[in-house]
Amino acid sequence: MTPKKLEAWSRSSLLRSRAVPLVLYAVSVTFLFGGAELISTLTKLPQEGLDDLAGTNPFFLGAVMFVVLSGEALLLTVAPIEITRRLWRQPLVGALIGILIYAVCIHWSKGWQGMLLTGWIALVIAVAYLVQRRSSRWIAVLQALGLKWAFAAFALFMIFSP
């Protein structure tokens, strides 16, 4: 597919449909949870600190996670992609920078298993953002936030489930 055809396709009414963001979100959540479950099944992720969190108030922890993960979505997904898109017209470079910062620089203390899991999470969110960004930047931002919040809800469920 030539770049002109790809550009015409990305601006088509199909991608601007209201159903597409919901379908893309559902597919992204499936990939996010499926990949996270597969990685945690195939590797032994470090579990230290989870027992300490189980004693906290779930609503307080959820509020903190909501704020922190919203900041992560904006600073490590949206900002690098948009900055490199404007400066060098290379949003993929920004996505790679955001993934590396999130997985390697922030989660290095969890070992290679933790970096693999967080890299997968960042990759799914970045790809979903890049795909949706072609039709609407604001929906793409909301989708990145929604994927982070879905992951937060999943993590809270795993921490506080009996």
Side-chain angles (χ1 to χ4, degrees):
M1 186 175 263
T2 65
K4 286 185 180 183
K5 286 184 181 180
L6 181 64
E7 186 66 28
W9 178 78
S10 69
R11 301 229 182 258
S12 71
S13 61
L14 175 67
L15 282 183
R16 292 186 178 269
S17 165
R18 291 184 183 166
V20 170
L22 295 175
V23 170
L24 183 61
Y25 183 77
V27 169
S28 299
V29 166
T30 303
F31 273 102
L32 185 71
F33 293 154
E37 189 61 34
L38 181 65
I39 290 169
S40 59
T41 301
L42 295 176
T43 64
K44 287 285 191 186
L45 290 172
Q47 298 295 321
E48 70 265 357
L50 290 182
D51 295 332
D52 298 335
L53 290 176
T56 62
N57 183 345
F59 296 107
F60 175 74
L61 185 60
V64 169
M65 287 176 73
F66 178 81
V67 170
V68 169
L69 293 178
S70 297
E72 283 182 359
L74 295 175
L75 292 174
L76 298 174
T77 301
V78 176
I81 291 173
E82 290 300 322
I83 289 170
T84 57
R85 186 188 65 78
R86 288 189 184 191
L87 293 179
W88 303 302
R89 298 187 187 268
Q90 294 292 328
L92 292 176
V93 172
L96 182 62
I97 290 170
I99 291 167
L100 289 175
I101 290 172
Y102 182 69
V104 177
C105 297
I106 295 176
H107 292 93
W108 67 271
S109 63
K110 296 294 183 194
W112 68 270
Q113 300 98 333
M115 289 190 293
L116 181 66
L117 178 63
T118 56
W120 174 256
I121 294 165
L123 177 68
V124 170
I125 294 171
V127 168
Y129 180 82
L130 287 170
V131 169
Q132 187 60 50
R133 172 66 176 87
R134 292 186 165 277
S135 61
S136 172
R137 180 178 1 172
W138 297 112
I139 292 176
V141 169
L142 290 175
Q143 184 163 315
L145 288 169
L147 287 169
K148 282 286 192 175
W149 297 337
F151 177 73
F154 178 71
L156 284 172
F157 175 75
M158 296 305 289
I159 291 169
F160 293 106
S161 66

